[in-house]
Amino acid sequence: MNFLRLSAIACIALLCSSNVRAQNIYKEDFLEFWEDYNANYAYFEGSGIDWNKAKEIYLPAIDTIKNNYQFTCLLEQVVNEFHNGHISLNTNYTTSNRIIPSGADVFAEKKGDLYYITDVRIASKAEKSGLKPGMEIVLFNGKPIDIQLQKFLPKSAISYTPVMYEYALNMLLAGTYDKKREFTIKENGALKTIYPDDFEVSATTDLLEYKILDGNIGYIKINNTLGDNNLITAFDKAFDILMQTKGIILDLTETPGGGNTTVARGIMGRFTDKELPYQKHVINEKEFGTVRSWVEYVTPRKTTYKNKVVIMVGHWTGSMGEGMAIGFDAMKRAKITGTKMAGLIGAIHTFSMKNIKIGYQIPIEKMYHVNGTPREDYLPQYFTKNSTETFTKALELIK
């Protein structure tokens, strides 16, 4: 056997060995990912998915994975099993789908066999393009919607629920980062095509906005900054200016990214003169067969506002924004108006794979209104159909 042939055989053997090591790493990380959810995910019961079946479906695909990009794409498919915007990866590519609700600017629902826009995000590309509630979506990116939903519906489910369809539809309509969206809609019997991504919107860097409306009504809008502790100081500054108003409208309709409880308590603490419960946490400690449960309180902070308060919420009120809504309701300190909120489940903790280092979010704590209602099931007392209606209702309630 000559030297060249030996070298070729050695190279082939080395390549095969390298491929085997890569496959072992991806398999190891996938199993770690699966087990982390299996041990910690708080919402399997009643979810309609079979996590063991999901493992059977996706694990064999590891044998075809050749690089990190393909592995990430596979994990994105697995994440869709949970059909909730609170479960996501911290790694993505231009071909990745935008997450919801943060990456969405329309909210649509399946009604019978048809699909309708029921809400549009204020000051978004969708709104600027002319997309409106009530429009029927006939095609998306030139293709029937039914076929495209399959990518986002859970493969481990025996049957699909309305919640699964809602997630799949709105993930589809959020689109991917690398492709402009094309909506073919029907309005008043006529078809037309709208390209929302051809429009530009200006992103604000302000933590919040505030002003005094007619009738000496204060208005504060939180600009998706509930995770920034600097918001507390900014809120205090605005709040002190509005202390002499007849009422305050607190707008949480643009908080899809959630936040933290320090900021939430900092804001709510200006509306009470005594310590009050605002939300309940529950952790199922599966390993030990025990349950840990506690109620979180709001403590008064600085000067208390005594007059009327109305809270605005909507499809882009997520996670901590939802927690604040149920908190103000539990404290009996405000009237809550708006649509159904984002319905982001639980309090999330971040985990990471030991080899590829991809991070992922797991809701490990169930969150409840203090009256026992799951946070994701809470509906505003003064229910509206869309964002525009919500502001009109808030003005009516504050008078």
Side-chain angles (χ1 to χ4, degrees):
M1 187 175 291
N2 61 40
F3 176 75
L4 289 176
R5 187 177 179 188
L6 283 172
S7 297
I9 292 172
C11 287
I12 292 171
L14 184 62
L15 180 62
C16 290
S17 175
S18 177
N19 286 340
V20 168
R21 284 198 299 273
Q23 295 298 326
N24 287 341
I25 286 174
Y26 292 128
K27 185 174 183 179
E28 191 175 77
D29 276 357
F30 178 86
L31 291 174
E32 178 186 22
F33 169 87
W34 184 90
E35 183 53 43
D36 281 343
Y37 278 98
N38 190 56
N40 297 287
Y41 184 61
Y43 289 87
F44 279 123
E45 185 178 356
S47 68
I49 67 169
D50 184 334
W51 192 229
N52 287 305
K53 185 178 179 181
K55 182 180 179 181
E56 294 173 6
I57 293 170
Y58 294 103
L59 184 58
I62 298 296
D63 294 336
T64 67
I65 299 299
K66 295 182 174 61
N67 51 54
N68 289 1
Y69 171 73
Q70 292 180 347
F71 186 54
T72 302
C73 290
L74 176 66
L75 293 177
E76 288 174 343
Q77 286 290 310
V78 182
V79 163
N80 286 332
E81 293 292 313
F82 297 104
H83 55 278
N84 191 272
H86 231 183
I87 299 96
S88 61
L89 308 177
N90 71 352
T91 298
N92 59 57
Y93 294 86
T94 57
T95 56
S96 297
N97 211 88
R98 295 182 180 90
I99 62 172
I100 58 173
S102 296
D105 55 9
V106 299
F107 182 83
E109 294 179 276
K110 185 176 189 287
K111 298 181 180 181
D113 294 328
L114 304 177
Y115 303 92
Y116 291 91
I117 295 173
T118 52
D119 202 1
V120 176
R121 195 170 181 175
I122 299 296
S124 67
K125 293 179 179 181
E127 184 183 56
K128 286 197 171 187
S129 72
L131 289 172
K132 300 174 183 176
M135 288 179 169
E136 179 189 344
I137 310 168
V138 179
L139 301 173
F140 180 72
N141 289 344
K143 300 176 183 177
I145 291 174
D146 286 344
I147 298 171
Q148 299 181 79
L149 292 186
Q150 296 305 312
K151 176 181 178 181
F152 303 102
L153 289 167
K155 293 177 172 57
S156 70
I158 296 175
S159 60
Y160 299 139
T161 65
V163 173
M164 293 175 184
Y165 274 115
E166 180 183 294
Y167 170 84
L169 176 59
N170 287 288
M171 281 288 284
L172 172 66
L173 300 181
T176 58
Y177 295 101
D178 65 338
K179 187 174 183 179
K180 289 186 176 182
R181 296 168 296 159
E182 176 185 319
F183 287 74
T184 302
I185 61 94
K186 181 188 290 186
E187 186 180 30
N188 299 323
L191 292 179
K192 62 179 176 180
T193 302
I194 296 177
Y195 301 87
D197 297 323
D198 285 345
F199 293 79
E200 296 294 330
V201 293
S202 54
T204 181
T205 57
D206 296 332
L207 295 171
L208 54 73
E209 301 167 26
Y210 68 94
K211 56 188 173 182
I212 297 178
L213 305 175
D214 290 345
N216 195 28
I217 301 300
Y219 172 84
I220 305 176
K221 180 183 179 184
I222 307 298
N223 287 323
N224 200 27
T225 51
L226 288 175
D228 188 336
N229 290 347
N230 292 316
L231 177 60
I232 298 174
T233 300
F235 186 85
D236 283 344
K237 180 180 177 181
F239 199 70
D240 290 342
I241 293 172
L242 302 177
M243 280 296 291
Q244 303 307 314
T245 55
K246 293 180 180 179
I248 286 180
I249 296 173
L250 179 59
D251 187 345
L252 299 177
T253 60
E254 189 53 42
T255 57
N260 66 63
T261 186
T262 299
V263 173
R265 286 182 285 103
I267 291 173
M268 290 189 289
R270 298 299 306 269
F271 293 91
T272 180
D273 58 5
K274 60 182 177 181
E275 192 173 68
L276 292 171
Y278 88 95
Q279 68 177 357
K280 181 180 179 181
H281 303 245
V282 176
I283 297 180
N284 183 359
E285 301 169 315
K286 298 178 185 178
E287 181 182 359
F288 308 105
T290 58
V291 173
R292 183 157 62 99
S293 174
W294 71 98
V295 173
E296 192 169 4
Y297 283 76
V298 171
T299 300
R301 199 175 64 82
K302 296 190 173 183
T303 308
T304 302
Y305 187 76
K306 300 286 189 179
N307 296 333
K308 287 184 180 180
V309 182
V310 172
I311 309 296
M312 291 172 55
V313 298
H315 294 113
W316 290 275
T317 304
S319 192
M320 197 65 254
E322 297 179 82
M324 288 180 66
I326 65 170
F328 272 105
D329 189 62
M331 294 160 60
K332 303 186 186 306
R333 186 60 192 89
K335 294 178 179 178
I336 319 296
T337 185
T339 69
K340 180 173 71 72
M341 297 187 288
L344 299 184
I345 53 177
I348 57 172
H349 290 223
T350 300
F351 293 71
S352 181
M353 298 172 189
K354 66 179 180 181
N355 295 312
I356 309 302
K357 305 302 181 186
I358 294 176
Y360 40 97
Q361 315 294 333
I362 304 181
I364 71 170
E365 300 176 30
K366 286 190 174 183
M367 305 302 297
Y368 295 88
H369 190 295
V370 295
N371 67 12
T373 302
R375 186 182 71 187
E376 63 274 14
D377 292 340
Y378 174 80
L379 294 175
Q381 179 185 4
Y382 299 92
F383 198 75
T384 64
K385 294 179 181 178
N386 55 59
S387 302
T388 302
E389 221 179 78
T390 300
F391 184 64
T392 301
K393 189 65 177 179
L395 289 174
E396 176 189 314
L397 291 171
I398 202 68
K399 292 178 180 177

